[in-house]
Structures are given as structure tokens and as C-alpha cells.
Amino acid sequence: MGLIVARATDNSRVGAWVGPEPEATGASNNRTEVTAEGSGDIVIDASLTSNVISQPNFFGFGLLGSGSDVLSNAYQTSTVEAGIGAWSDVDAKSGTVNVGADFAGGTRADSASTNLSLGVAADVTNSNASHTPTILLEVGENADIASTADGAAIDAIKLQARHNSDGFQFFGPEIGVGAIGTAESTSFAGLATVALTRVNTYANPMLTVDVQNGAKLNSPNANINIAGYNSSTSGASASRTGGAIIASVTDIDITPISEGTTEVTFSGDVGLNGEVGARNLTIVAQGDSRSDAAVKAATGGTVNVSAGKATSYA
């Protein structure tokens, strides 16, 4: 009996901040000040591309018997943070202010086993992929953001957080992102084959855009755009090929689950002293949740027992 266990994990943190980070409070008598010259832009951007992949593969051969237990685990728990801290002043003058937090990537667990025997061949394949990154964009309490950029089509102040999205499209397993799990088992034997296959994938990305109480955004001649785009996708598939002269037993169970939270909160003010603070104010929260499951089995024997179960949750 062969045993293979593979585990891949990413728990990275990427952050870009002006002023105090979320854990700090700042102070009115110690403000952080950032001012652009002329028409220069101010860009605060944190981005992470992360792909976690676990792919164990077993091959076994025995005269009397051959067996394997293959376990593949992949975990994504990274964090992307960007923002302007409490009691900070950011003034782009005639330029623009662009704050972005972006995560792109997938969490993939694949397991594969092949067993050949003149007697009995048995294999167990398990794949588990958990994709739970955190994306945070925050404007702290009493922070001021200003721009005098002029134009009806200009987003003078843009606060945008994205997870596997470009703000127009949402991406998933079809391009290798989100939670992905596969399991493949192949076994042939003279007497009997037994195969147990499990695939579990879980996607639960947490995306938050938070403009806090007392924050002031002022762009009287252009637009203010605040948005969060979150793609929560989970795909699981399993395939089984096997055969025996006497008996073949196959049990397949796959479960992809997609959850996720997309929250955009604005508790601040637009404009100064009751004056117009923007041509247009746009606040958007969009999420896309999908789960896909697929099972394929081809077995044969004098006695053939097969059970397959595919359940999707979104």
C-alpha cells in the first residue's frame, strides 16, 4: 500500500497605505499629508497574484495486490490591503487619486493514482482545495481626499477592490482561478478493483471596501467611483477508469461549494461646507458565485458496483 500526502499553502500579505494602517487610529494633531504637484496623479495600489497548486501522482504494480492512498490539499488564505489611514490628507490638486486592492489567482488540488495487479488493485484519491483570501480597501475616519480634476468622464477619486475580476468580467476555473479540485484513478486487476474518490472545493473570498465615518471626499468638477468586484467560483471533477475479471467497485463523491462576501460601505461625506462635491457619485458592489461539478466513470467486471455523487452549492 502506497501513501502520498501533498500540501500547498499561501498565507501572504500585501499592503499599500498612506497614513496609519487599520490597526492604528491616527490623531488630529499628527495628520499624514500627501500633495501632488500640478496635474500629477496619486496612486496607492496593492496587488497579489497567487496560485497554490498541489499535484501528487502515484503509480503502483504488484503481482498479488497493489494499493494507494493519495491525499492532495491546497489552501489559500492570503490578504491584500490598501487604503488611506485615519486623519490623513491626500490632495491630488488637478490630478486624480486612485486606490486599488486586487487579488488574482487560484487554489488547485489534483490527485492521481494508477494501480495494476494480477490479484487485487485498490486506490483512494482525495483532493481538497480551500480558497479564502481577504481583500480590504479602507479610507479611515476623518481622512480627506481631494482633487480638482475637471471632466465629465474623469473618475477623479477612484476606490476599487477586485478579486478575480477586472471590473468588467468575473473569472473562474475556466482560466484556472478560484477553487479547483480534480481526482483521477485508474486500476486494473485480475481478481478485483476497489476505488474510492473524494473531491471537495471551497471558495469563500471576503472583499470589503469601507469609507469610514468623518472621511471627506471632494471632487467638484469630476466623478467619484467606489466599487468592489468579487468572483467566488468552485469547480470539482473526478474520473475513474478500471476493470477486473471478477469484481469492480467504485465510489465517487465530489462537492464544490462557493460562498463569499462583497461589501461596499460609505459612511463619509462628499463635498466641503455644503458645497457640491462631485459631478457623479457611484457606489457599486458586484459578486459572481458559481459551482461546477463533473463525474466520469468507466468500470467493468463480472460483478460491477458503481456509485457517483456530485453536489454543487453556491
Side-chain angles (χ1 to χ4, degrees):
M1 185 74 174
L3 172 63
I4 296 179
V5 179
R7 176 188 176 100
T9 303
D10 189 357
N11 188 32
S12 303
R13 180 181 180 274
V14 175
W17 288 91
V18 166
E21 295 189 28
E23 297 80 7
T25 57
S28 59
N29 60 354
N30 187 27
R31 301 181 72 99
T32 299
E33 297 185 0
V34 176
T35 303
E37 291 290 338
S39 59
D41 299 325
I42 296 176
V43 178
I44 305 164
D45 184 74
S47 63
L48 173 64
T49 299
S50 173
N51 291 289
V52 180
I53 301 174
S54 174
Q55 294 180 318
N57 192 329
F58 177 88
F59 178 86
F61 173 78
L63 293 177
L64 298 179
S66 177
S68 65
D69 190 347
V70 180
L71 176 60
S72 178
N73 293 321
Y75 302 99
Q76 173 62 260
T77 57
S78 295
T79 299
V80 180
E81 297 178 333
I84 296 172
W87 299 101
S88 296
D89 295 332
V90 176
D91 188 353
K93 299 299 184 181
S94 60
T96 64
V97 178
N98 191 328
V99 184
D102 182 63
F103 179 97
T107 306
R108 185 179 190 107
D110 300 326
S111 59
S113 67
T114 300
N115 284 281
L116 307 176
S117 174
L118 298 178
V120 177
D123 59 74
V124 178
T125 52
N126 290 275
S127 295
N128 302 290
S130 177
H131 184 82
T132 60
T134 299
I135 302 92
L136 171 67
L137 191 155
E138 182 178 290
V139 177
E141 294 182 353
N142 302 299
D144 292 346
I145 306 175
S147 168
T148 59
D150 193 347
I154 296 175
D155 290 333
I157 300 175
K158 184 175 182 179
L159 313 174
Q160 190 173 104
R162 299 173 298 273
H163 170 258
N164 285 336
S165 173
D166 59 3
F168 301 97
Q169 302 179 78
F170 295 94
F171 307 114
E174 66 277 0
I175 65 165
V177 299
I180 305 168
T182 70
E184 299 180 3
S185 66
T186 303
S187 57
F188 291 94
L191 296 179
T193 63
V194 179
L196 303 177
T197 301
R198 302 286 184 269
V199 181
N200 296 294
T201 57
Y202 179 60
N204 187 14
M206 308 292 288
L207 185 146
T208 303
V209 179
D210 186 16
V211 180
Q212 296 182 351
N213 184 54
K216 295 180 177 61
L217 279 60
N218 189 46
S219 173
N221 305 314
N223 307 314
I224 297 174
N225 189 315
I226 304 169
Y229 302 96
N230 192 6
S231 175
S232 179
T233 58
S234 185
S237 63
S239 64
R240 158 71 177 150
T241 302
I245 296 174
I246 304 300
S248 178
V249 178
T250 299
D251 186 0
I252 300 174
D253 187 356
I254 65 174
T255 306
I257 299 174
S258 293
E259 296 180 340
T261 299
T262 307
E263 187 174 77
V264 178
T265 304
F266 183 84
S267 301
D269 301 306
V270 174
L272 302 176
N273 303 317
E275 299 293 328
V276 173
R279 286 178 180 254
N280 298 288
L281 170 64
T282 302
I283 300 175
V284 174
Q286 291 186 1
D288 178 64
S289 182
R290 290 176 285 148
S291 292
D292 299 312
V295 173
K296 179 181 179 181
T299 61
T302 303
V303 178
N304 186 56
V305 180
S306 296
K309 179 182 178 182
T311 308
S312 297
Y313 300 92

